[in-house]
């Protein structure tokens, strides 16, 4: 890890080395790279995964960064609409990799300005609610796993039991249900969807 990396990455390593409490983890989400996990209820788990070098920073320096970043995080959380607070779901350091998972109770609480995943906006709602917000209509969609099969956006709007992730910016996102459709430019690698930079993308899941 070099000093030019983000404060969030430094915070991640600091928490891991100084003991942030292992937590219960997010069992359905086992990330090997920085990514997001979203649920039908709208909760968002942000995973920062970084490699580290044991002797690059002193423990005092890491602790100072951690205290500063946690202070910023807590003050920002107080302005959120949810009564629940974001919390650390997992914090581990093993075999040269440090991993920090923070669960946000509502997509409105994300993105965190100190996160390693810097998307401009994120929302998770049912398809009917998404249509009311102006999502889906007018976009080009493809069936998950078959980029050659185009699906009408109008047909998707009729599927009231599905959910939509609306994200602006580039991120790797896993959903708690099976992905059914993705908008143009979104790529799938197993259960992980990757959205393109500078675009508003949609992930439709069950």
């Amino acid at each position: 890890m070099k000093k030019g990396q983000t404060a969030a990455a430094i915070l991640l390593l600091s928490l891991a080395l100084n003991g942030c409490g292992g937590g219960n983890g997010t069992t359905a989400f086992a990330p090997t790279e920085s990514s997001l996990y979203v649920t039908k209820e709208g909760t968002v788990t942000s995973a920062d995964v970084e490699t580290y070098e044991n002797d690059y920073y002193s423990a005092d320096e890491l602790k100072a960064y951690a205290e500063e970043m946690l202070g910023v995080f807590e003050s920002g959380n107080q302005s959120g609409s949810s009564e629940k607070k974001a919390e650390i779901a997992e914090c581990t350091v093993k075999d040269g990799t440090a991993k920090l998972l923070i669960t946000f109770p509502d997509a409105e609480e994300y993105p965190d300005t100190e996160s390693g995943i810097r998307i401009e906006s994120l929302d998770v709602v049912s398809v009917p609610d998404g249509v009311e917000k102006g999502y889906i209509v007018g976009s080009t969609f493809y069936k998950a796993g078959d980029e050659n099969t185009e699906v009408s956006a109008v047909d998707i709007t009729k599927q009231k039991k599905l959910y939509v992730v609306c994200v602006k910016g580039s991120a790797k996102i896993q959903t708690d249900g099976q992905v059914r459709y993705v908008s143009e430019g979104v790529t799938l690698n197993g259960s992980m969807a990757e959205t393109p930079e500078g675009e508003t993308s949609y992930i439709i899941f069950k």
Side-chain angles (χ1 to χ4, degrees), residues 82-99:
S82 174
E83 293 182 359
K84 296 182 179 180
K85 292 184 177 181
E87 59 183 20
I88 295 173
E90 180 181 340
C91 183
T92 58
V93 54
K94 183 179 180 182
D95 299 330
T97 299
K99 181 187 299 185

Side-chain angles (χ1 to χ4, degrees), residues 133-183:
K133 290 186 172 186
Y135 301 162
I136 303 173
V137 177
S139 297
T140 300
F141 286 87
Y142 295 91
K143 187 175 180 181
D146 186 359
E147 60 184 14
N148 295 317
T149 301
E150 188 171 333
V151 180
S152 168
V154 174
D155 287 343
I156 293 175
T157 63
K158 298 176 182 177
Q159 302 192 46
K160 302 183 184 301
K161 294 183 179 181
L162 299 184
Y163 296 82
V164 55
V165 180
C166 175
V167 56
K168 185 173 183 181
S170 177
K172 295 181 179 180
I173 300 174
Q174 180 181 332
T175 61
D176 70 340
Q178 183 182 17
V179 175
R180 300 292 298 275
Y181 312 101
V182 294
S183 61

